Each structure stands twice: as C-alpha cells, then as structure tokens.
Amino acid sequence: MQNTGKKFVARTNNWRIFFFCYKLFTRIFNLIQMKQMDFQPRGTCSKLIHIELTDDDRVSDVSFVGGCPGNLKGISALIKGMHKDDVISRLCGIKCGNKSTSCPDQLACALKQMN
C-alpha cells in the first residue's frame, strides 16, 4: 500500500509542476502580445503586406504577397527586430522605377497606420 501512495504523491506533484509551468507560460505569453495588420498596398506589384509587431513596436515578422520575392524577403529579414519608427524613417519615400511609390514605401505607410 505504501508504494501506491508514493506513486500517487509523485503523480500529484507532477501535475502541480505542470500546472505551475502552464500558468507561468500563459502569463509570459500574454505579456508578449503581437500587434498584427494586413495592409493592401497601392501602386505596387505586391498585393498584400502582413505585419506583426511586438508590444514595444519592434518588427517581429513581415511577409508580402506578390512583388519581387527575393528583394521583399531580404527587406523582411533586414528589418526584423527594428523599431517601427526606424523602419519608417529608412523606407519612407523610396520609389520603384517610374512609380511614385514602392513596396518598401508602402510598408512604411502601413507601419504609420499601426498603433
């Protein structure tokens, strides 16, 4: 009988540890909430820009639908971790060929709209 009692205590402690870790993880996860936005650019080849920012306005992820895949993946990789104001100041006003705007410029416009 004592062996089964010890197993029961061990299992109870495992559940307590699991519950503690679960509560801790959910608290941490709720503190690091992401701001997300899907933006439809105008005047560019890309059709959609998906942006994710951390709660302190740092770029977590950017993905483009359409456009020049290599260049846009490069831009996404370079700005990851940057503060949105730094990205806006660097990308705002860039033009693509004869167009009055570009994918980076539209990304800056989208970041300006995010609160």
Side-chain angles (χ1 to χ4, degrees), residues 65-104:
V65 175
C68 307
N71 292 329
L72 297 176
K73 285 180 185 176
I75 290 170
S76 298
L78 289 172
I79 66 170
K80 191 171 188 175
M82 289 178 62
H83 193 273
K84 79 173 190 174
D85 294 334
D86 295 333
V87 175
I88 292 169
S89 66
R90 290 177 186 229
L91 299 182
C92 191
I94 294 176
K95 297 180 181 178
C96 181
N98 294 330
K99 298 177 183 177
S100 61
T101 187
S102 65
C103 293

Side-chain angles (χ1 to χ4, degrees), residues 8-48:
F8 177 75
V9 171
R11 288 181 183 160
T12 305
N13 287 338
N14 287 343
W15 279 105
R16 287 181 184 162
I17 293 169
F18 172 78
F19 185 72
F20 172 77
C21 292
Y22 173 76
K23 292 297 265 182
L24 181 64
F25 174 78
T26 54
R27 286 183 184 167
I28 292 170
F29 183 77
N30 288 334
L31 291 175
I32 309 172
Q33 293 181 348
M34 298 287 178
K35 300 174 192 174
Q36 296 183 5
M37 177 183 197
D38 287 326
F39 180 79
Q40 291 186 337
R42 297 180 184 176
T44 62
C45 300
S46 62
K47 304 297 180 209
L48 182 76

